[in-house]
Amino acid sequence: MENTIGPGAVFPMGEKNEAFAAYFTGQSYLHMLTTEGVSIGNVTFEPGCRNHWHIHHKGGQILLVTAERGYYQQWGQPPQELHPGDVVRIPPEVKHWHGAAPDSWFVHLAVEVPAEGASNQWLEPVSDEQYAQCK
């Protein structure tokens, strides 16, 4: 049986997210639920872990929060605190990041919205100053 986090964990935590480690500050874990038709990954963030700023070209992304507490932020906007049951619809071409609160694990399903020519562009890390705005 694969690892899960906390009593609210719904899907397996998966392995350390080595494939995308260069685009995260801290440790994340990835368990792909499906890659056929619609790509859906269960992403688990250790406390304080966050991904870098990034942009989904064409298709966009949907986050379905399943456990613990984290944040989502669009460029130029204040961070939004996220809890289980929250849904974040990220339109294409929107620069953003998401990750765990400093004192909490965070788990979400990342749904890649299918579109012809869709791609993901990784950008700079979220600075400690930017992340400190989440407190």
Side-chain angles (χ1 to χ4, degrees):
M1 180 174 206
E2 295 190 51
N3 292 336
T4 57
I5 294 296
V10 178
F11 298 103
M13 184 167 99
E15 302 297 323
K16 287 185 177 181
N17 189 2
E18 302 296 344
F20 295 95
Y23 308 115
F24 282 74
T25 299
Q27 184 63 60
S28 68
Y29 302 83
L30 177 63
H31 177 77
M32 292 306 298
L33 300 176
T34 181
T35 56
E36 295 180 27
V38 176
S39 178
I40 303 173
N42 185 55
V43 185
T44 301
F45 300 78
E46 288 187 357
C49 177
R50 68 249 188 208
N51 55 30
H52 293 188
W53 290 100
H54 57 288
I55 299 171
H56 298 276
H57 297 294
K58 308 244 174 157
Q61 186 179 44
I62 300 169
L63 305 178
L64 306 171
V65 180
T66 60
E68 311 299 334
R69 185 168 62 90
Y71 293 95
Y72 165 78
Q73 184 176 17
Q74 287 186 13
W75 186 258
Q77 301 294 320
Q80 300 173 6
E81 188 168 307
L82 299 176
H83 301 275
D86 286 342
V87 176
V88 180
R89 293 167 191 83
I90 306 165
E93 313 310 326
V94 172
K95 184 176 179 179
H96 67 282
W97 69 270
H98 30 103
D103 59 350
S104 177
W105 288 77
F106 178 57
V107 186
H108 68 55
L109 299 181
V111 180
E112 301 297 323
V113 178
E116 188 172 332
S119 65
N120 189 29
Q121 179 183 4
W122 291 102
L123 303 166
E124 72 275 13
V126 175
S127 70
D128 290 339
E129 294 77 19
Q130 290 167 324
Y131 185 65
Q133 296 175 15
C134 296
K135 295 179 181 178

